[in-house]
Amino acid sequence: MDIARTPATPDGNPEMADAATEPHKPAIIRREDYTPFGWVVPEVHIEFELGLELTRVVATLKVERNPAAERTPMIRLNGDGLTVRELQCDGETCEGYMMDGDDLVVTLPGDSHALRIVTEISPAANSQLMGLYASNGMLCTQCEAEGFRRITFFPDRPDVLSTYTVRMSGPKVQFPILLCNGNRTATGEEGENHWAEWHDPWPKPSYLFALVAGDLVARSDSFTTMNGRKVELNVWVRDGDLERTEHAMESLKRSMKWDEETFGREYDLDLFNIVAVSDFNMGAMENKGLNVFNTKYVLADPETATDGDYDGIEGVIGHEYFHNWSGNRITCRDWFQLSLKEGFTVLRDQLFSQDMGSAPVKRIEDVRVLRGVQFPEDSGPLAHPIRPDSYSEINNFYTATVYNKGAEVIRMMRTMAGEERFRAGTDLYFERHDGEAATCEDFVKSIEDGAGLDLGQFRLWYSQAGTPKVTAALDHSGETAKLTLKQHVPPTPGQDSKRPMPIPLKIALFDRASGTHRGEQLVVLDKSEDTFAFDGFAEAPVLSINRTFSAPVTIERSASREDLVFLAAKDDDPFARYEAMQELMGGHLVAAVSGELGENERIAAQADIARAMGAVLVDESLDDLMRGELMTLPSQSYLAEQMLVADPTRIHEEREALKAFLGKELRDEFHALYDRAEKAPYSLDLASRGARKVKTLVLAFAAASDPAKAVELAAHQYDNADNMTDRQGALMVLTGIDSAERTGRLLDFYNRYEGNALVIDKWFSLQASSLHPNAIEHVKALRDHPEFTLKNPNRVRSLYMAFAGTPHHFHSPDGEGYRMIADLILELDPINPQTAARFVPPLGRWRRIEPKRAAMMREQLERIAAAPKLSRDTFEQVTRSLG
């Protein structure tokens, strides 16, 4: 869209700092320009006359001058595509207003007024899925970050907190269920219409407003809080999906109990509703008392959901529930503070999931996501601090840096403080800032005061972008081991020079002979270079460093393969053991791709890896969930990050070659593991989940080393599966091997689950991400499939994001993968710019790819940038990616 916001007006709204100088260049909003809004809006009353094609909105705003802001005669009410149908001030028709772009600017002479604004909107025409929109006959909202302005004119910024009273009315046959934030206060009928009134007693910003109207059924339950309050719980879905909501409800109750026990947070309303929506840009939304969820994170049963789906549902439900305090009761002052709520809440949901399942495996999974998504972001053109200094489109800052790195930064505070003192700090934060729109600084100061830490230098983690690189060298002389650590934060866009940051590193020094250590220690590297001495070592110890991934950094150490094999077998910290295996395999693969290995060195390296892997396969002290992590090779994307310039084809070839070698060398051990795991009955307990995990991994090794045997095993597993995890795992292997079994099972899978959108999404993804050499042609064919649509974000992601996340196909030497994604972005941008912009970063990695491919990637970015009427979401991502 051709949007250029206007400069800040006297009401103190920093909507625009730079005027646009290009036709569709959005302006830049800067954190340093923040000023309090000129008015407070303590009360809002909204009436909705609901309809799919036309909804009438009557909003009455009580506005008062803000004594903390500069006095102004005007109030700016943000809008997006709205037209004023009626405007009254204090009961009289208002003439003193003007439209400034999409915004409504009203002149108000006094200190307190009541504004009544009438707008009309068309939910059915809202393909952006922001504001109030239609989804398969129901109405729902998504207002974060700036969707409320698509419903009515309002100061749509997070530091304007209001209590809301809402009246919804519409045809009962079409919208039998009417839901909103807070508690329901009244209901009634008027002919064929019915109505419901809702009141939320807790002041909230407009981005937390929510409304749902449709034909829904509920799984209902209750939860009694730690102070004896009974809360009604509902998970609302479409008729036919109710049986798949049990896990969601149990996850909600576990979340509520865990938050009371771990953080002392009690729920504060009489009612908590979750609604599953099939058309949704994100995973879920934490609207106060009415969480709106993508169906992907609600619906599950063994026949249609994998173990990963079950974990995802539990984690996302926990995340959105935990927002009730870390995001709702305390919200963001402005969008630059987004990590205040998201980073903290991601940490909370990670800790919750650790406590509900396998803590070591959950930690490894979280680190894998960080390395696979956030580390590339940190080293690319889109790098930014967890608290950015500027933005053009706020939707583009819902990133892995804000969420995942933000969580890691807070986790470091917890590591340095210890669990008890960290809890004291969070208690102080909730006490100090309840009911406020706070800042990241407010959070850090609370932890500092409550935990008794000096976090002055630590604040650099909030303002500096980039992943620190720590080099570690261990020297031994006499009976003293000296650990020398150096840190370097590489330059990022706009930040050429970085200051040293405090980096907490958990370490242990192992005795090589006994395989034990004297205890874990925490060292904090807060200088560019420092040395730590440890006495009493007659022999040189083996260093285990960054245990539990205590800091989000990359470690460069000159560990020998012998040391890595030792740690892979002996380290008592599960993450450090996993890390040693990753380093052992990754170091070999990077050297092989770079052409640094002679034949003898290749043979020796492969033998060491096989020795370490063999020990993992037969280690009876390991549970299968952890065994599966140790069996997993470094991803192609992770390997590319270890190289200055990557050749995706060579990475794929060498990785498959290592899989084939291990599959042949350890054939008997793999098949013995598969035979044992195959006997495990279906259950959601950790042992059964682990058995399913290693079965699929064994199939993957077999596919690389003995495709015929892999097809035989996978077809048998598919045909006899009594759960989606086994069936999908088998089909994943079959899709990569050209065979009759592949064709037959893909057809069976589609016919078996036709009509189940979430499972058909899996069918699209499996083919788009397969190892099959013709995967690009398969994606093109699936684009024309009757079940494919650009209007559903889940379906778009299931095909194209799966493809873009498969490097050896996305980086096809002829550039076809790049053209496909660029074509998608241009086609999708007018329909749903927020989803379209999410596909730009894979193209933006061109600087790290070999020159021929890099030129083709840049060419596609330039083609997108030259398109007329590009949305500001996509325009910002593309121009930053080009540099």
Side-chain angles (χ1 to χ4, degrees):
M1 301 188 329
D2 292 343
I3 295 177
R5 296 185 180 181
T6 53
T9 56
D11 66 4
N13 190 354
E15 284 283 274
M16 172 52 51
D18 292 342
T21 58
E22 298 178 16
H24 52 251
K25 180 180 179 181
I28 298 172
I29 301 169
R30 295 188 173 87
R31 181 166 57 90
E32 66 184 15
D33 293 334
Y34 172 83
T35 56
F37 191 62
W39 300 79
V40 296
V41 187
E43 296 176 15
V44 178
H45 186 282
I46 311 180
E47 297 181 18
F48 289 90
E49 297 175 14
L50 299 171
L52 292 174
E53 300 298 331
L54 181 67
T55 290
R56 188 171 187 265
V57 184
V58 181
T60 302
L61 283 55
K62 180 180 179 181
V63 299
E64 300 172 352
R65 293 194 182 278
N66 184 358
E70 181 179 346
R71 186 178 179 86
T72 170
M74 296 183 295
I75 184 170
R76 174 179 292 271
L77 305 175
N78 305 121
D80 184 354
L82 300 177
T83 300
V84 178
R85 299 301 182 191
E86 297 178 34
L87 177 62
Q88 292 184 353
C89 181
D90 301 325
E92 302 290 334
T93 299
C94 180
E95 303 292 345
Y97 75 92
M98 61 176 287
M99 295 299 299
D100 186 0
D102 276 341
D103 292 349
L104 172 66
V105 180
V106 184
T107 300
L108 298 175
D111 293 338
S112 178
H113 299 278
L115 294 175
R116 182 179 183 272
I117 308 163
V118 179
T119 57
E120 292 178 346
I121 54 179
S122 176
N126 184 358
S127 66
Q128 294 186 35
L129 311 184
M130 291 291 291
L132 179 65
Y133 65 92
S135 174
N136 291 328
M138 65 184 289
L139 294 177
C140 54
T141 56
Q142 172 55 36
C143 292
E144 188 176 0
E146 296 178 341
F148 192 74
R149 64 186 63 188
R150 294 172 59 82
I151 298 172
T152 188
F153 291 99
F154 197 80
D156 191 12
R157 43 187 284 168
D159 60 346
V160 176
L161 307 182
S162 312
T163 57
Y164 285 71
T165 301
V166 177
R167 189 180 194 274
M168 308 159 60
S169 65
K172 186 174 183 179
V173 65
Q174 189 174 23
F175 308 121
I177 301 299
L178 303 174
L179 305 173
C180 197
N181 303 98
N183 297 316
R184 184 173 46 242
T185 56
T187 60
E189 297 189 17
E190 298 171 348
E192 295 182 352
N193 286 355
H194 71 144
W195 55 269
E197 291 185 352
W198 293 76
H199 177 65
D200 186 353
W202 300 100
K204 63 175 179 284
S206 55
Y207 82 84
L208 288 173
F209 175 82
L211 172 159
V212 173
D215 190 359
L216 301 165
V217 294
R219 177 181 291 274
S220 299
D221 208 327
S222 65
F223 179 83
T224 301
T225 71
M226 59 186 181
N227 286 316
R229 293 179 53 253
K230 188 174 182 179
V231 179
E232 177 186 341
L233 310 177
N234 296 296
V235 178
W236 295 92
V237 295
R238 296 186 181 281
D239 191 20
D241 287 334
L242 199 59
E243 291 183 358
R244 294 193 285 157
T245 59
E246 180 180 2
H247 179 65
M249 179 61 79
E250 293 305 311
S251 297
L252 174 57
K253 291 191 292 184
R254 286 192 291 269
S255 301
M256 299 177 81
K257 186 174 190 295
W258 183 89
D259 207 21
E260 290 183 342
E261 294 174 347
T262 308
F263 282 92
R265 299 299 103 196
E266 182 180 22
Y267 188 61
D268 52 9
L269 289 169
D270 301 330
L271 183 64
F272 189 91
N273 285 316
I274 288 174
V275 180
V277 178
S278 56
D279 299 293
F280 205 66
N281 283 334
M282 299 175 293
M285 180 61 207
E286 71 266 20
N287 318 294
K288 184 72 178 178
L290 177 58
N291 286 189
V292 179
F293 271 65
N294 191 317
T295 51
K296 176 181 175 65
Y297 294 107
V298 173
L299 305 179
D301 62 16
E303 175 63 21
T304 60
T306 65
D307 295 337
D309 293 330
Y310 275 94
D311 287 343
I313 289 168
E314 183 173 70
V316 173
I317 282 182
H319 180 95
E320 305 308 334
Y321 174 74
F322 301 146
H323 265 312
N324 187 62
W325 276 90
S326 52
N328 297 2
R329 286 282 289 260
I330 305 177
T331 193
C332 301
R333 186 196 71 178
D334 52 71
W335 290 121
F336 299 102
Q337 319 297 329
L338 184 58
S339 199
L340 171 77
K341 73 182 185 79
E342 295 301 349
F344 187 26
T345 305
V346 168
L347 174 64
R348 277 152 56 73
D349 82 53
Q350 290 177 350
L351 297 174
F352 167 66
S353 294
Q354 286 181 199
D355 287 348
M356 296 301 106
S358 168
V361 170
K362 173 59 178 170
R363 186 65 185 133
I364 290 169
E365 291 172 348
D366 291 336
V367 173
R368 188 158 50 234
V369 170
L370 187 81
R371 286 173 166 169
V373 183
Q374 197 280 320
F375 277 19
E377 195 168 84
D378 245 354
S379 64
L382 301 179
H384 56 278
I386 64 172
R387 184 188 57 195
D389 293 320
S390 64
Y391 66 81
S392 294
E393 172 50 61
I394 184 55
N395 287 329
N396 288 335
F397 275 105
Y398 284 76
T399 63
T401 296
V402 167
Y403 280 66
N404 302 76
K405 185 175 181 179
E408 295 296 329
V409 168
I410 298 173
R411 187 186 286 265
M412 284 191 289
M413 294 187 221
R414 184 173 182 262
T415 296
M416 293 188 295
E419 292 184 18
E420 290 187 9
R421 290 198 297 159
F422 180 75
R423 167 65 190 272
T426 61
D427 284 350
L428 183 59
Y429 169 67
F430 290 127
E431 178 185 340
R432 277 182 177 174
H433 300 290
D434 186 15
E436 294 181 4
T439 65
C440 293
E441 172 61 29
D442 292 329
F443 180 83
V444 176
K445 188 68 169 66
S446 295
I447 301 299
E448 193 171 46
D449 293 347
L453 290 176
D454 180 356
L455 297 174
Q457 184 185 5
F458 188 87
R459 286 166 170 81
L460 290 169
W461 280 99
Y462 280 85
S463 58
Q464 293 189 161
T467 301
K469 299 183 185 300
V470 175
T471 58
L474 186 67
D475 295 318
H476 179 260
S477 178
E479 293 197 351
T480 300
K482 290 186 177 180
L483 176 62
T484 300
L485 300 174
K486 301 178 182 179
Q487 66 164 291
H488 169 67
V489 188
T492 54
Q495 293 186 344
D496 293 332
S497 179
K498 309 292 178 69
R499 294 163 57 192
M501 300 188 291
I503 299 175
L505 296 168
K506 293 181 181 179
I507 67 166
L509 298 175
F510 277 84
D511 177 74
R512 193 182 304 276
S514 66
T516 61
H517 61 82
R518 302 173 187 175
E520 187 176 81
Q521 301 181 60
L522 179 68
V523 299
V524 179
L525 175 64
D526 56 6
K527 307 178 181 68
S528 296
E529 180 178 349
D530 207 350
T531 298
F532 304 86
F534 307 92
D535 295 325
F537 290 93
E539 302 292 335
V542 180
L543 173 66
S544 172
I545 190 169
N546 207 19
R547 294 158 65 83
T548 70
F549 198 72
S550 55
V553 301
T554 59
I555 302 289
E556 296 178 355
R557 55 178 173 175
S558 55
S560 66
R561 285 206 309 270
E562 181 183 357
D563 284 355
L564 294 176
V565 171
F566 172 90
L567 292 170
K570 301 290 187 181
D571 206 317
D572 60 339
D573 176 68
F575 176 80
R577 187 174 182 182
Y578 163 83
E579 187 77 327
M581 282 294 294
Q582 292 289 294
E583 201 169 337
L584 183 64
M585 295 185 287
H588 162 71
L589 290 170
V590 168
V593 170
S594 302
E596 299 172 1
L597 289 182
E599 187 59 25
N600 290 338
E601 192 173 359
R602 176 187 290 270
I603 292 171
Q606 288 180 332
D608 284 340
I609 294 170
R611 181 156 54 98
M613 182 71 76
V616 165
L617 297 179
V618 299
D619 188 345
E620 294 183 358
S621 69
L622 284 172
D623 63 74
D624 280 339
L625 276 174
M626 186 63 202
R627 193 187 318 277
E629 295 300 329
L630 296 172
M631 290 167 61
T632 302
L633 270 62
S635 70
Q636 296 178 65
S637 298
Y638 176 73
L639 293 169
E641 282 297 305
Q642 311 311 303
M643 310 175 73
L644 290 176
V645 178
D647 182 335
T649 299
R650 290 284 299 128
I651 291 174
H652 174 65
E653 290 172 348
E654 288 292 347
R655 189 173 182 274
E656 288 302 300
L658 179 59
K659 280 170 62 179
F661 171 81
L662 293 172
K664 290 176 181 177
E665 190 74 9
L666 300 171
R667 181 183 185 280
D668 292 343
E669 291 87 343
F670 276 127
H671 286 293
L673 176 60
Y674 188 93
D675 291 343
R676 174 180 63 75
E678 193 176 27
K679 296 180 176 65
Y682 180 81
S683 166
L684 284 176
D685 65 30
L686 298 184
S688 296
R689 290 156 63 98
R692 292 189 289 275
K693 183 177 185 176
V694 297
K695 281 165 60 180
T696 294
L697 285 165
V698 170
L699 289 179
F701 280 101
S705 58
D706 188 353
K709 184 63 175 177
V711 167
E712 177 189 337
L713 284 174
H716 174 79
Q717 179 171 307
Y718 180 94
D719 293 342
N720 292 277
D722 61 355
N723 63 87
M724 178 54 74
T725 304
D726 279 345
R727 182 168 289 118
Q728 178 176 292
L731 191 58
M732 178 197 70
V733 171
L734 288 172
T735 55
I737 303 173
D738 206 9
S739 65
E741 288 83 355
R742 174 190 186 276
T743 304
R745 297 328 187 272
L746 277 172
L747 180 61
D748 175 81
F749 192 90
Y750 179 82
N751 290 336
R752 183 189 296 254
Y753 296 109
E754 186 176 8
N756 186 317
L758 293 178
V759 184
I760 296 303
D761 284 341
K762 299 178 190 294
W763 183 78
F764 277 92
S765 291
L766 285 167
Q767 296 173 79
S769 60
S770 82
L771 293 177
H772 197 286
N774 297 330
I776 288 182
E777 297 306 315
H778 297 159
V779 172
K780 291 179 180 178
L782 289 168
R783 173 63 176 82
D784 295 328
H785 194 280
E787 293 283 351
F788 184 80
T789 174
L790 288 177
K791 293 183 179 181
N792 181 270
N794 281 356
R795 187 55 46 86
V796 175
R797 289 187 288 258
S798 73
L799 181 62
Y800 283 102
M801 197 60 80
F803 171 76
T806 309
H808 56 286
H809 291 317
F810 173 65
H811 293 287
S812 174
D814 62 0
E816 183 61 22
Y818 311 144
R819 288 189 289 273
M820 284 176 54
I821 295 301
D823 288 345
L824 169 72
I825 292 168
L826 290 170
E827 187 177 7
L828 185 59
D829 189 64
I831 300 170
N832 188 330
Q834 187 176 144
T835 299
R838 295 287 189 265
F839 286 91
V840 175
L843 290 169
R845 300 296 298 156
W846 61 272
R847 292 171 181 82
R848 301 296 296 272
I849 304 299
E850 57 84 16
K852 183 179 177 182
R853 287 183 175 91
M856 292 188 288
M857 295 170 76
R858 185 178 175 88
E859 179 185 358
Q860 294 306 318
L861 287 169
E862 290 170 344
R863 179 163 74 95
I864 298 168
K869 297 186 177 180
L870 205 61
S871 73
R872 71 186 186 197
D873 305 67
T874 301
F875 182 84
E876 180 183 31
Q877 292 285 78
V878 171
T879 52
R880 291 179 64 206
S881 295
L882 284 168

